[in-house]
Amino acid sequence: MKLTNFCWLLFSSFVLLYSCAKRDVVLFDFENKGYQGWMLQGEAFGEAPATGPLEGQLPVAGFAGERLVNSFHGGDDMCGEMYSPEFVIERDYINFLLGGGMGADVFIALEVEGKRVFETHPVVESETLQWYSWNVEEYLGRKAVVKIVDNQRGGWGHILVDQIEQGDKAKSVIMPDYEKTFAITQKYLLIPIEDKGPESQVVIRQGTKRLSETLYIRVAQTQIDYWVPIDVEAYKSQNITLWFQHVKAGDIGFPRICQSDSFEFDYAEPYRPAYHFSPYYGWTNDPNGMVYQDGKYHLFYQHNPYGSMWANMHWGHAVSEDLVHWQHLPAALAPDDLGSIFSGSAVVDADNTAGLGKGALIAIFTSSGKRQTQSLAYSMDGGRTFTKYAGNPVLTDADMIDFRDPKVFWHEDSKRWVMSLATSQTISFYNSADLKTWMKQSEFGEGVGAHGGVWECPDLFPLQTPDGKTKWVLLVSINPGGPNGGSATQYFIGDFDGKTFKADALPYPLWLDYGRDNYAGVTWNNAPHGRRVFIGWMSNWDYANQVPTVHFRNAMTLPRELFLQNSGGHLVLASRPVDELTQLRGQVVSFPIQRISSKGASIDNLFEGNTGCFELEMVVVPNGASKFGFGFVNSKGECLNYTFDREKMCLELDRSKAGRSDFSGKFATVSQAPLPACSEYRIQLFMDKSSAELFVNDGEVTMTDVFFSSDVFAGMRFFSSDLCNWTVKDMKVYSLEKIR
Ligand code: FRU
């Protein structure tokens, strides 16, 4: 062939190719200062396309040109719908950019000759738009309209749309209905996680059989922060499928999911407590189902085994014989078709009142699905395995949205089980003879106590007063609305007759703990010797999901025994660390009496080999000084300061310079507690790497706070802004041992 002929052939094939690949047709680019022929209803879409984020919205990215459709006008609660002018379908695909919320009532739809043929919801909650595509081959030549809908109120109730085009190719990299099957040869499937990435919806299947409810897992898209295991040992030499609602082509995580016989990670990462209970890995919030049976304290807890952020609520499980050393056990309860497993309690049914077995350990918890309802599960092997009761749910309410956290105990006088349940901003009391049928008896809380947020996690129990009378204490956690911001636990003291709780006239709200990090705590059922032992969640919903830990997030407070004590003319609820903790004491250093002038004083090194785990005891004598205090200091210049203000009669904790606080604007705060009026203060303080628990006068006032310092607080300083000298006496520091 001659060269000219060859060139001619090449040229004509290019022309042919070019004319086959028809150019994209832009249907709507929303670049004008009006909606140009679209029909609008409602206010959410405003008068014209937006130029980016609207007031109160996070940054919006990923749109084309200068403008986009944004239904955040007036915030998430505004609703609206918009219809496009009619157009003819001329290409195989319609591509568009989409972002916003994932709710059922935010979507973009295609209607062909009046019939809806596609309805697409964003697959992640995001203010960054990405390409989506509809394959419309079968509708070529037909007339269509696009409808954009935002009828969703509340969080993420808005939609973002831009650049609706017709073209020959799909532009979306979203692969819906993606699945991967593994022939199981090892113990775990390891999943790479990106902590701040969006959640993927995952179902574990075997063939067509579902082995799990939908799990929300942050499978890595751009970086791997840590791994989580799915235990598949029971399926060795069988096939297991992971189904994903969608994946994005190019995400790095999906191809890296692998099998392994071991699950290794840095258990001792810097902020992991040494002697507080923390989950082996993954997220925790409230302690649950605390009960003592056959020599063992059971601690269940709100747990996400698939990541270090709140999601997929299971009941994790641990047991201890001494409240100090904990053995981690496999998760006790996993989500089911009634919902995820929210907080609740456990009892030992010694007389088989429920007919589920004599001595059964019965968990009563909230199933949180479309509604919140109460369910049962029982165990005949000391909590190792649970069976969900076939008649679940056992308690429902048609209207209540916040209807949760049942705490049940046996009320001997009325020979009935009593349940305290959080019902919005009150606590409702129910009773039952068999744990299965519950009758409402009364409701407490209107017009009394703090009401700055939703009421959660109640607990009702009797305690002896110092003069030997019985009084009933009702714990109620509240979020937000705590005395120092965010979550906290208030209490009421009064009488209970098996049906109704009547609070004594006291200066409510009264707080169990004035620190920022003691929430959702309740007490053990059946603890031996009539002890009332409490444990709380050592975090705050203000920042719990953001604290800078990796393989685990959040821990529990120390276990504490509760007492009624007289203070300031009335009864208060005091918390004292349980005696069992003294077994952790290692070396002890005693310090001589110190008189602190306005020059201050300091101790550079409390003891050799300090790893940030110690207990401090001392007596603080003000001697007329009005503002003074002590603090912990480290080599990086960070400090955690406690200030006694005898004029304002308050005790202040300042953690704003105690280390990292960049992860949340709500963390670097100064908290205040009321200071009892007395001539000396007995101080007991427990430090554990990233937490400090202060007990004043045998727990009359407590402050529990976490912090994230860059080095161990090895030294102390004492300060005074007053001419009077104050005194520190009987000061001792004990190093404390690790529990695992
Ligand atoms: C309290 C709480 C409970 C709920 C649980 C869900 O922190 O909100 O009311 O049962 O957490 O994890």
Side-chain angles (χ1 to χ4, degrees):
M1 196 193 300
K2 278 211 280 183
L3 190 64
T4 44
N5 284 354
F6 175 73
C7 290
W8 177 245
L9 195 71
L10 206 64
F11 174 71
S12 35
S13 2
F14 271 132
V15 170
L16 197 71
L17 262 175
Y18 182 75
S19 56
C20 284
K22 287 180 257 158
R23 252 182 288 148
D24 290 352
V25 179
V26 177
L27 289 168
F28 309 105
D29 63 5
F30 303 106
E31 288 303 295
N32 297 303
K33 290 191 180 139
Y35 278 115
Q36 308 261 309
W38 284 69
M39 254 168 44
L40 270 85
Q41 277 169 21
E43 274 143 53
F45 294 98
E47 307 270 291
T51 52
L54 297 168
E55 204 188 319
Q57 192 173 19
L58 294 168
V60 171
F63 55 103
E66 305 287 313
R67 290 170 180 267
L68 77 159
V69 175
N70 183 344
S71 73
F72 199 75
H73 286 268
D76 272 327
D77 280 349
M78 290 300 199
C79 294
E81 299 189 358
M82 51 191 274
Y83 285 92
S84 75
E86 201 171 61
F87 59 92
V88 176
I89 298 182
E90 294 169 353
R91 301 283 191 280
D92 288 354
Y93 290 92
I94 293 181
N95 296 309
F96 50 94
L97 289 165
L98 178 66
M102 295 167 68
D105 291 322
V106 272
F107 58 87
I108 175 169
L110 182 72
E111 293 181 359
V112 177
E113 286 155 10
K115 191 168 158 247
R116 181 164 307 174
V117 295
F118 287 103
E119 177 179 309
T120 300
H121 303 250
V123 293
V124 288
E125 285 170 346
S126 175
E127 305 289 25
T128 300
L129 292 86
Q130 53 176 325
W131 285 110
Y132 288 67
S133 305
W134 290 322
N135 181 338
V136 288
E137 269 169 275
E138 60 180 291
Y139 308 111
L140 279 171
R142 293 170 65 183
K143 288 185 185 145
V145 293
V146 170
K147 187 175 179 189
I148 304 174
V149 175
D150 170 6
N151 284 326
Q152 189 93 26
R153 295 173 200 280
W156 287 101
H158 65 273
I159 189 166
L160 310 172
V161 178
D162 199 12
Q163 201 68 14
I164 306 177
E165 309 175 343
Q166 305 200 49
D168 281 345
K169 292 211 173 66
K171 289 196 169 175
S172 171
V173 287
I174 297 168
M175 296 148 61
D177 258 339
Y178 174 87
E179 53 182 55
K180 205 169 169 176
T181 298
F182 299 84
I184 302 298
T185 53
Q186 303 190 39
K187 205 168 171 233
Y188 301 112
L189 280 176
L190 295 182
I191 317 281
I193 303 291
E194 182 170 344
D195 199 45
K196 304 274 180 300
E199 286 174 335
S200 301
Q201 296 187 24
V202 186
V203 174
I204 310 172
R205 281 196 342 225
Q206 185 166 47
T208 52
K209 190 174 156 213
R210 273 175 93 111
L211 300 179
S212 77
E213 292 303 312
T214 302
L215 306 170
Y216 297 82
I217 307 185
R218 294 172 195 271
V219 184
Q221 292 194 333
T222 60
Q223 66 178 55
I224 298 175
D225 295 320
Y226 55 89
W227 298 75
V228 295
I230 299 181
D231 190 336
V232 287
E233 197 168 22
Y235 302 98
K236 269 205 181 145
S237 62
Q238 301 171 30
N239 283 349
I240 288 291
T241 301
L242 294 186
W243 173 89
F244 298 88
Q245 192 212 27
H246 78 277
V247 301
K248 258 170 68 193
D251 283 356
I252 64 166
F254 303 98
R256 303 226 194 154
I257 297 173
C258 59
Q259 298 194 44
S260 167
D261 270 327
S262 59
F263 167 51
E264 280 153 23
F265 61 96
D266 178 14
Y267 183 85
E269 61 172 89
Y271 301 127
R272 169 79 81 166
Y275 60 89
H276 282 74
F277 177 82
S278 59
Y280 184 55
Y281 75 93
W283 160 274
T284 191
N285 56 298
D286 316 354
N288 293 148
M290 291 127 73
V291 66
Y292 181 84
Q293 187 187 33
D294 299 333
K296 291 202 165 68
Y297 291 91
H298 290 263
L299 173 59
F300 300 89
Y301 54 94
Q302 290 284 280
H303 183 41
N304 180 8
Y306 303 115
S308 303
M309 287 181 120
W310 186 93
N312 310 309
M313 281 302 107
H314 285 58
W315 272 25
H317 189 196
V319 289
S320 171
E321 286 174 10
D322 61 5
L323 292 163
V324 177
H325 297 89
W326 293 98
Q327 182 192 356
H328 288 284
L329 295 173
L333 297 170
D336 57 34
D337 56 2
L338 290 173
S340 29
I341 315 294
F342 273 19
S343 289
S345 49
V347 298
V348 176
D349 190 7
D351 297 331
N352 198 15
T353 61
L356 298 171
K358 197 169 162 55
L361 189 68
I362 303 187
I364 307 103
F365 55 89
T366 299
S367 295
S368 183
K370 287 207 178 78
R371 306 208 63 86
Q372 298 191 335
T373 58
Q374 319 316 317
S375 294
L376 305 180
Y378 55 99
S379 168
M380 294 307 293
D381 58 3
R384 296 294 164 130
T385 56
F386 277 87
T387 308
K388 303 241 176 77
Y389 171 54
N392 284 342
V394 294
L395 180 59
T396 59
D397 185 285
D399 304 320
M400 280 274 168
I401 291 176
D402 293 307
F403 186 67
R404 58 176 180 268
D405 307 339
K407 174 77 200 258
V408 175
F409 68 96
W410 178 252
H411 186 252
E412 190 51 42
D413 291 351
S414 61
K415 298 267 183 286
R416 285 280 183 282
W417 297 104
V418 172
M419 177 195 291
S420 315
L421 194 71
T423 43
S424 190
Q425 287 204 15
T426 58
I427 301 303
S428 296
F429 298 102
Y430 293 77
N431 71 20
S432 170
D434 61 3
L435 295 167
K436 295 169 177 169
T437 311
W438 292 94
M439 296 295 292
K440 184 164 168 174
Q441 302 300 320
S442 64
E443 199 168 325
F444 168 82
E446 222 187 293
V448 57
H451 284 272
V454 65
W455 284 23
E456 302 183 312
C457 301
D459 191 6
L460 176 70
F461 49 85
L463 277 183
Q464 296 291 106
T465 65
D467 52 7
K469 291 201 199 91
T470 300
K471 277 282 167 191
W472 287 77
V473 176
L474 177 65
L475 301 183
V476 177
S477 283
I478 176 174
N479 177 58
N484 289 298
S487 326
T489 302
Q490 58 179 329
Y491 66 88
F492 302 88
I493 302 175
D495 297 304
F496 182 68
D497 61 2
K499 296 183 170 191
T500 308
F501 175 77
K502 283 208 181 69
D504 292 351
L506 296 177
Y508 301 117
L510 295 169
W511 301 99
L512 178 87
D513 193 311
Y514 286 85
R516 297 266 277 140
D517 300 296
N518 183 353
Y519 190 62
V522 290
T523 64
W524 262 271
N525 274 332
N526 285 9
H529 318 299
R531 292 168 91 188
R532 196 42 70 176
V533 184
F534 165 98
I535 207 166
W537 174 47
M538 196 157 58
S539 193
N540 188 313
W541 282 116
D542 269 359
Y543 42 73
N545 272 295
Q546 281 91 44
V547 294
T549 54
V550 182
H551 298 101
F552 80 105
R553 230 185 226 114
N554 305 312
M556 298 300 164
T557 66
L558 287 177
R560 303 158 182 206
E561 202 163 334
L562 301 182
F563 297 91
L564 286 175
Q565 210 166 281
N566 282 312
S567 162
H570 64 82
L571 289 173
V572 295
L573 184 63
S575 334
R576 299 175 202 157
V578 296
D579 290 343
E580 286 91 331
L581 287 162
T582 52
Q583 66 184 291
L584 295 174
R585 289 177 178 173
Q587 55 172 309
V588 53
V589 185
S590 300
F591 294 85
I593 220 173
Q594 297 194 64
R595 293 208 166 71
I596 321 285
S597 69
S598 56
K599 287 201 198 94
S602 57
I603 300 169
D604 290 341
N605 212 2
L606 288 167
F607 60 96
E608 280 313 310
N610 186 348
T611 57
C613 307
F614 58 86
E615 178 188 345
L616 161 77
E617 283 179 347
M618 63 185 178
V619 174
V620 163
V621 191
N623 301 326
S626 58
K627 201 161 180 188
F628 59 93
F630 62 89
F632 297 92
V633 290
N634 67 15
S635 63
K636 306 282 190 242
E638 295 162 345
C639 57
L640 183 71
N641 280 349
Y642 295 86
T643 305
F644 294 69
D645 187 331
R646 299 262 295 173
E647 257 157 32
K648 293 197 200 127
M649 288 314 276
C650 78
L651 178 59
E652 232 174 54
L653 166 60
D654 183 353
R655 68 174 175 193
S656 64
K657 294 173 201 71
R660 282 193 65 179
S661 59
D662 54 339
F663 51 87
S664 159
K666 293 184 171 173
F667 188 78
T669 46
V670 179
S671 313
Q672 292 186 337
L675 190 63
C678 51
S679 56
E680 47 180 58
Y681 299 99
R682 279 185 312 287
I683 300 292
Q684 196 180 9
L685 191 145
F686 288 81
M687 279 271 183
D688 190 1
K689 307 261 186 192
S690 56
S691 65
E693 280 158 285
L694 173 77
F695 300 86
V696 182
N697 293 352
D698 291 324
E700 180 182 332
V701 172
T702 63
M703 291 184 100
T704 302
D705 291 86
V706 297
F707 58 84
F708 301 96
S709 61
S710 351
D711 193 10
V712 165
F713 283 126
M716 275 186 83
R717 65 168 183 207
F718 302 86
F719 51 88
S720 175
S721 52
D722 206 289
L723 290 178
C724 285
N725 293 353
W726 64 284
T727 311
V728 177
K729 62 179 191 185
D730 303 337
M731 177 170 161
K732 274 186 192 152
V733 174
Y734 302 90
S735 66
L736 296 180
E737 307 285 329
K738 249 189 158 144
I739 54 170
R740 45 176 300 134

PDB file of all heavy atoms in Angstrom, residues 37 50 223 267:
ATOM      1  N   GLY A  37     -36.620  27.415  33.926  1.00  0.00           N
ATOM      2  CA  GLY A  37     -37.610  26.453  33.430  1.00  0.00           C
ATOM      3  C   GLY A  37     -37.918  25.314  34.385  1.00  0.00           C
ATOM      4  O   GLY A  37     -38.808  24.506  34.127  1.00  0.00           O
ATOM      5  N   ALA A  50     -26.999  27.742  44.169  1.00  0.00           N
ATOM      6  CA  ALA A  50     -26.082  28.335  45.150  1.00  0.00           C
ATOM      7  C   ALA A  50     -24.675  28.392  44.571  1.00  0.00           C
ATOM      8  O   ALA A  50     -24.346  27.652  43.633  1.00  0.00           O
ATOM      9  CB  ALA A  50     -26.081  27.490  46.415  1.00  0.00           C
ATOM     10  N   GLN A 223      -6.526   5.755  53.000  1.00  0.00           N
ATOM     11  CA  GLN A 223      -5.411   5.388  53.886  1.00  0.00           C
ATOM     12  C   GLN A 223      -5.905   4.376  54.914  1.00  0.00           C
ATOM     13  O   GLN A 223      -7.094   4.347  55.236  1.00  0.00           O
ATOM     14  CB  GLN A 223      -4.855   6.613  54.610  1.00  0.00           C
ATOM     15  CG  GLN A 223      -5.853   7.225  55.596  1.00  0.00           C
ATOM     16  CD  GLN A 223      -5.258   8.410  56.326  1.00  0.00           C
ATOM     17  OE1 GLN A 223      -4.789   9.336  55.691  1.00  0.00           O
ATOM     18  NE2 GLN A 223      -5.282   8.386  57.641  1.00  0.00           N
ATOM     19  N   TYR A 267      -1.499  -2.906  71.434  1.00  0.00           N
ATOM     20  CA  TYR A 267      -2.412  -2.816  72.584  1.00  0.00           C
ATOM     21  C   TYR A 267      -1.969  -1.690  73.517  1.00  0.00           C
ATOM     22  O   TYR A 267      -2.788  -1.028  74.142  1.00  0.00           O
ATOM     23  CB  TYR A 267      -2.462  -4.151  73.344  1.00  0.00           C
ATOM     24  CG  TYR A 267      -3.452  -4.103  74.493  1.00  0.00           C
ATOM     25  CD1 TYR A 267      -4.797  -4.365  74.272  1.00  0.00           C
ATOM     26  CD2 TYR A 267      -3.053  -3.750  75.778  1.00  0.00           C
ATOM     27  CE1 TYR A 267      -5.725  -4.274  75.294  1.00  0.00           C
ATOM     28  CE2 TYR A 267      -3.968  -3.648  76.811  1.00  0.00           C
ATOM     29  CZ  TYR A 267      -5.299  -3.915  76.562  1.00  0.00           C
ATOM     30  OH  TYR A 267      -6.212  -3.811  77.575  1.00  0.00           O
TER      31      TYR A 267
END
